[in-house]
Amino acid sequence: MCQAATPATTNNDASAPQDDETNLKNEGSLHANAEGNKLYPVHPLALVAALPLLPTSTYINRGYTVWFHLVSVAYVLTRLPFLRKFLILQGTGITLGWYAAIYNDLHLHGRFCHILYMNMPTVMKVVMVDLDGGIKYSSDSMMMMALSHALDTILHPGLVYLFWRSHIASGGTLKSIFAWDVIVATYVFSRLWSIVHTFANDGVVGLWYCGYDVYHINDLDSWLPAYVAESIFYAGIVIYKVLERRRQCGRNGEEIHFLSSKR
C-alpha cells in the first residue's frame, strides 16, 4: 500500500482549480439547490419508487441496449452526474459488443448486418426481411436499411458521444469515468441483465445469457464475441487502473524519499 507524501502548503493551494470529481459533485448540489422543490429534475427516490409500475414488457426479453435506453431516460429525468458516467461506460461496452456480434455474423456466415435488420421495429422489419428470415433487396428495403443504420449509429455510439460531450462540458475527464464505483456498477448491471433473462426464460441463474428469446437471430454464435468484447473492454480498464495506481505509488515513494533525504 502506498503512502502519499505531504507537501508543504502554500497560499496558492487555496486558489488551485478543483478536480473534475469536485466539479461534478458541485454541479449536482448546485443544480439541486437551484431547482428547490420544482418537479424537474425528478428526485432519484421518486424514480425508484415508480419502478414497480414499469410494465415487464419494457425490460423482460428486451435487449441490453433497451436497458441502456431506460437508464438514459432516468438520467434525463434526474440529471445525476453519476448516471451520466455510468451511461458512457455502459454504452461503450454495449457498442463494442454489438459490433463484435455483427462482425462475427459477417465473418462466419457472410451476413452483413442481418442481425440489425431482423431486430428493427416490426414496421421496418417487414420491409427488409421476408417470412423465411431472408433479406429483401429492393429500393424500399434499401431505403429502410439506410434508416436502420442511421438509427443504429444514433442509439449506440451517438448517445455515448452526447453523454461524453455533456460530461466534458461539466468539467469531467476520462479519468473520472474510470472510477471504481462506475466500473463495478456498470459491470454488475450487465450481469444483472443476464441473470434476469436466464431466470425468466430458463429458470436458472446465469451470468451470461445465450438464447433466442431476446433477439431475432439465425445462430447463437454471435453471443460469445459480444461477451468477449465487453470483457476485454472491462479488463483493459482494470489493468489501466492498476498500472495507474502503481505509477502513483512510485511517484509518491520518490517524493517521500526525496523529502527524507533533505532532512
Side-chain angles (χ1 to χ4, degrees):
M1 183 175 181
C2 64
Q3 179 180 358
T6 306
T9 59
T10 64
N11 292 334
N12 292 334
D13 292 338
S15 60
Q18 296 172 313
D19 60 28
D20 55 281
E21 284 295 328
T22 304
N23 289 335
L24 290 172
K25 290 178 181 177
N26 289 342
E27 175 199 353
S29 60
L30 290 174
H31 188 66
N33 293 334
E35 293 295 335
N37 294 323
K38 292 182 179 180
L39 295 177
Y40 183 80
V42 177
H43 195 283
L45 292 180
L47 209 60
V48 172
L51 283 179
L53 303 177
L54 198 64
T56 56
S57 59
T58 60
Y59 59 88
I60 297 294
N61 285 338
R62 296 293 181 178
Y64 190 42
T65 302
V66 173
W67 282 35
F68 169 65
H69 294 154
L70 290 174
V71 179
S72 300
V73 173
Y75 167 68
V76 171
L77 292 176
T78 61
R79 305 296 295 179
L80 289 177
F82 176 81
L83 280 185
R84 184 172 58 212
K85 294 187 290 184
F86 181 101
L87 286 163
I88 294 170
L89 211 58
Q90 182 197 21
T92 302
I94 289 173
T95 301
L96 292 173
W98 171 239
Y99 290 128
I102 288 178
Y103 173 77
N104 177 82
D105 203 40
L106 174 64
H107 178 69
L108 293 182
H109 306 290
R111 298 188 291 247
F112 176 69
C113 286
H114 286 203
I115 297 177
L116 171 64
Y117 308 143
M118 294 172 66
N119 287 279
M120 294 306 291
T122 303
V123 67
M124 299 176 64
K125 178 181 175 181
V126 295
V127 179
M128 299 179 289
V129 184
D130 61 30
L131 296 178
D132 297 324
I135 301 300
K136 303 176 184 177
Y137 292 96
S138 64
S139 57
D140 289 341
S141 65
M142 296 295 285
M143 290 177 60
M144 201 61 71
M145 288 176 188
L147 178 59
S148 299
H149 285 286
L151 291 175
D152 178 54
T153 302
I154 293 170
L155 297 177
H156 281 100
L159 279 180
V160 176
Y161 177 75
L162 290 178
F163 293 134
W164 166 254
R165 294 302 305 172
S166 176
H167 178 70
I168 294 300
S170 300
T173 64
L174 182 63
K175 186 176 181 180
S176 67
I177 296 173
F178 290 165
W180 283 117
D181 56 347
V182 183
I183 297 170
V184 172
T186 52
Y187 191 75
V188 168
F189 194 69
S190 177
R191 302 284 66 77
L192 176 63
W193 178 87
S194 285
I195 290 172
V196 167
H197 286 87
T198 54
F199 186 79
N201 294 295
D202 304 320
V204 298
V205 174
L207 297 178
W208 288 272
Y209 170 81
C210 181
Y212 292 102
D213 307 285
V214 178
Y215 295 101
H216 299 286
I217 51 180
N218 293 305
D219 306 281
L220 295 178
D221 52 30
S222 286
W223 284 102
L224 180 60
Y227 286 131
V228 169
E230 179 193 48
S231 298
I232 292 175
F233 173 61
Y234 278 97
I237 296 174
V238 171
I239 292 172
Y240 163 78
K241 292 282 290 184
V242 171
L243 293 178
E244 183 67 19
R245 181 63 174 171
R246 290 185 64 180
R247 284 195 294 267
Q248 183 181 1
C249 289
R251 287 195 298 267
N252 290 339
E254 291 174 359
E255 292 175 6
I256 293 172
H257 178 74
F258 175 74
L259 292 174
S260 298
S261 64
K262 291 184 65 177
R263 293 175 182 172

